[in-house]
Structures are given as structure tokens and as C-alpha cells.
Amino acid sequence: MTRTTTVLLAGLHGHGRWHLRELRRLHGAGVRLAGVCDPVPPTAADRELIGDAPVGAELGPLLARVRPDVTIVCTPIHTHAALAVLAAESGSHVLLEKPPAPTLAEFDRLVADLAGAGRACQIGFQSLGSHALAHARRLLAEGAVGDVLGIGAAGAWRRDAAYYARARWAGRRTLDGIPVVDGALTNPFAHATATALAVDGGEDEPPRELEVRLHRANPIEADDTSGLRMVTARGTTIVVAGTLCAEGEVEPHVVVHGSRGRLVLEYRTGRLRLESGGVVRESEHGTTGLLTNLVAHVRDPAVPLLVPPAAARPFMRVLEAVRLAPEPRPIPHRIDRSGPHPRCVVPGADAAVLRAAHELRLLSEVDFTEVAR
């Protein structure tokens, strides 16, 4: 009989609600919600999902009270590392949301502290649990598109003023003098970068080149329309471009350019499209949830983690470059007031991120006159 694995959720609101629903879904698989930690009280709807599990405003006392097997840390970015270490040192394994830390140095301290605590930690890059990613890597290893010439990633979403008003740290590079680094590249499109790096192999070696261009339309500190280009240690060019000020939307995806075709991976939907030799093959793939995988690892350490801390370090090199990059440059935009909250729209941004990823060029190098060069 499978024993019950108890899970404490730190951070109820925002993405935390997704975790709360996931915990309810996994209840029948021997996973039980042990408690919820958040300084903001739960709503009535939250209470229906929480049930009789204890709720507290501070993590330390709640950890001591419920002694969970696993703690999910889904809190503001600049609190991730400290709370993850607190949970691990209390004896709990950890699912830590991305980005795991706001600086590379803090990430390295986090990894050392987790190793000292002897607890497992899964980093919350859900896209790396996609079976489409594993299948894409097999196809590339088999030479399905020939020699890899480069990898692009693109995404375009629409976020209004409420998105940046949801928390004090939203859209900030720093908060009260502490690094936060909440921008398009490091938070909503962090999966695009992490997935592109994983497709390339994910080796933890410094890139040969790394160039970041940050722009913003919204009245925020961080970037909302940005791109990067890097040459990895193995010589692969990777371009990532994303905007939160889109006219429409572009499903985030990674495209691998090869000498005999290309491979397009939608990491959220699991759709994979192979174009080679004049033939197009499409397939859809499932995913292994990161909590499911972590619970399996806790029950049987022979089950490998999908995203151990070491797998996140290549992404953290990119985050550090974003953190140290010049302030985002303002770009022309218009205000869309058709919805409940005003929204900044950058004309042409949707097409621009696609061109950047599909031509392996920075946004400022494509035909995108609205972006300041």
C-alpha cells in the first residue's frame, strides 16, 4: 500500500491557486494537503479546496506544526531561496517555483544549503516535464533535421495594468534595495529560455556570447518586450524573444533550425511539428507533473528528478545577464482601454517576436520600427 505524502503549500495566491487545484487532483494518488502558508487569508473558494488543513501566515511555525514531506514554495521571487532553505532544513523536500533565485550568487548559495540539508529540490520549470521535449531531443539525435543551425524561442501575451498591480514586486528589478528581476524574459517567458537550453543539451558551461536587449511599454522598472541572443558553449546560437504587450497572442514555442528542416515545439500544449524533406509530421505529447515526479522521487530515490537545481543553472546565467543589463528602454505604444483594465500594446510586437525567433535575430534587428534601436 502506497503511503500518503503530505504537502505544504507556501504561497496561496496567483500561481499558488494552480498548485492548490493540482493538490486536490492528486489526492487520490496518496498526496494530502498538510497546510497552507500565506500572509493574505484564503478566500471562500480557496477554503473549499483547502478543507480542514491548517492555514498560517508564517512558514516556520507551520513547518514545525505539520512536518510535511514536501513543501511547495510559490512566493515572491526574492523570497524563494530563503524559504526553500527553511523548508529543507526543517526536513522537508521542496518544489521551488521559477526563477529559483534573483541572482546567480544567491542561487549557488541555495544549491549549497540544499545539499547540506540533504533534501531533494525540484525547480518549477514545468516545460521540462513535457514528453514532447524528450521526443524532440531524440529526433534531433537521430538527425531528423540534419545539423542544428540554431534555436529560437518566441511568445507573445497580453497583460494589463492589473497584472503589474497584483503585488509590490511585480514588474520590479529591485524592491527595497533587494534584487527581484521580474521581467518578461525571467518570469513569464522563463520557460522559453529554459526549454531552448534543454533542447540544446543544457550543459552548465558559460556561453561564448550572451547579449540581452530589454524594452518596456508599461510604466514599470522591468522589461515587458525583450530579447536575447547567445552562443552556447557547444556553439549553438539561441535567440529568445517575448512580449507581454501583444496585439494578439503567439503560443510560446521553440523552433530548431536544421540543415534539412526544422522542429517546432509548443512546450505548453505538447504539440510537436517536424518539417523535413518536404514532409510535415505532427504529434501531441503529454507531460509528467513536477510534483508527481518529486513525490515519486521521495518515495523511491532511484526515480530521477526532472529538474534538479543543477538543471536550472544555465537559465540562471541568463537571469544574471538580465539583472546586470542596462535599464529597459521605453518603446512607443498605444493604450487599449477596451477591457476592465488599461493595457499597453506595442504595434507589430507579435510579428516581431516571431521573426526574431525564426530568423535568429534580436528584436532591434528585425523590421520592427517601433522598437528603439
Side-chain angles (χ1 to χ4, degrees):
M1 181 176 179
T2 302
R3 72 176 182 86
T4 298
T5 301
T6 58
V7 180
L8 189 157
L9 173 62
L12 169 62
H13 301 90
H15 188 56
R17 287 194 175 92
W18 181 91
H19 283 293
L20 190 59
R21 292 190 294 270
E22 183 71 358
L23 284 163
R24 171 58 66 91
R25 187 184 69 82
L26 293 174
H27 185 76
V31 175
R32 178 174 64 83
L33 178 65
V36 172
C37 178
D38 200 296
V40 178
T43 65
D46 295 331
R47 276 289 182 184
E48 291 184 8
L49 293 172
I50 293 171
D52 59 0
V55 176
E58 295 185 17
L59 184 58
L62 199 55
L63 285 166
R65 176 181 175 185
V66 305
R67 300 286 181 184
D69 296 310
V70 173
T71 299
I72 300 173
V73 176
C74 187
T75 58
I77 295 169
H78 56 294
T79 67
H80 281 181
L83 294 182
V85 171
L86 176 63
E89 290 181 343
S90 78
S92 176
H93 303 282
V94 180
L95 172 56
L96 177 58
E97 268 301 337
K98 55 79 187 163
T103 73
L104 183 58
E106 189 171 350
F107 174 76
D108 287 340
R109 288 194 298 271
L110 166 67
V111 172
D113 290 343
L114 290 171
R119 301 287 90 181
C121 180
Q122 180 103 281
I123 307 299
F125 285 107
Q126 298 100 315
S127 64
L128 302 191
S130 170
H131 302 167
L133 171 61
H135 188 59
R137 294 189 65 175
R138 285 194 296 271
L139 289 173
L140 295 175
E142 294 167 0
V145 298
D147 297 330
V148 174
L149 306 178
I151 300 172
W157 284 336
R158 296 178 289 189
R159 296 294 182 265
D160 60 25
Y163 176 80
Y164 294 106
R166 74 191 192 281
R168 287 186 65 222
W169 57 270
R172 302 291 295 269
R173 301 192 86 188
T174 63
L175 181 64
D176 301 329
I178 299 172
V180 175
V181 202
D182 176 45
L185 290 177
T186 55
N187 196 359
F189 295 117
H191 296 294
T193 301
T195 306
L197 287 164
V199 168
D200 185 51
E203 290 88 352
D204 181 23
E205 295 290 339
R208 299 179 189 176
E209 301 174 20
L210 179 52
E211 184 177 7
V212 174
R213 298 283 180 87
L214 307 179
H215 309 282
R216 63 169 179 82
N218 286 277
I220 57 175
E221 288 183 355
D223 56 290
D224 57 35
T225 302
S226 302
L228 68 87
R229 180 168 54 204
M230 63 189 300
V231 179
T232 66
R234 64 190 299 172
T236 306
T237 297
I238 294 179
V239 169
V240 182
T243 181
L244 299 177
C245 306
E247 294 175 291
E249 292 205 345
V250 173
E251 179 65 34
H253 63 278
V254 172
V255 54
V256 182
H257 304 275
S259 58
R260 297 201 307 271
R262 68 176 195 164
L263 189 65
V264 181
L265 164 63
E266 292 183 1
Y267 53 81
R268 295 198 316 159
T269 65
R271 297 190 186 101
L272 195 62
R273 178 184 175 92
L274 174 63
E275 304 169 3
S276 181
V279 177
V280 176
R281 287 185 287 166
E282 296 184 340
S283 57
E284 294 190 9
H285 305 263
T287 187
T288 297
L290 298 187
L291 179 58
T292 298
N293 172 246
L294 176 57
V295 168
H297 175 80
V298 169
R299 293 172 178 172
D300 180 5
V303 176
L305 289 175
L306 287 170
V307 198
R313 201 164 194 278
F315 167 81
M316 286 303 303
R317 292 184 185 277
V318 172
L319 181 144
E320 186 74 356
V322 172
R323 183 178 75 86
L324 298 176
E327 296 292 320
R329 300 183 64 178
I331 50 177
H333 60 278
R334 62 179 175 84
I335 304 297
D336 179 355
R337 301 186 185 278
S338 61
H341 304 282
R343 185 174 71 87
C344 291
V345 178
V346 176
D350 314 38
V353 298
L354 279 172
R355 285 198 61 191
H358 289 243
E359 298 176 12
L360 299 178
R361 300 164 70 185
L362 291 167
L363 285 175
S364 54
E365 296 172 345
V366 300
D367 185 14
F368 188 33
T369 56
E370 289 81 6
V371 172
R373 286 176 165 67

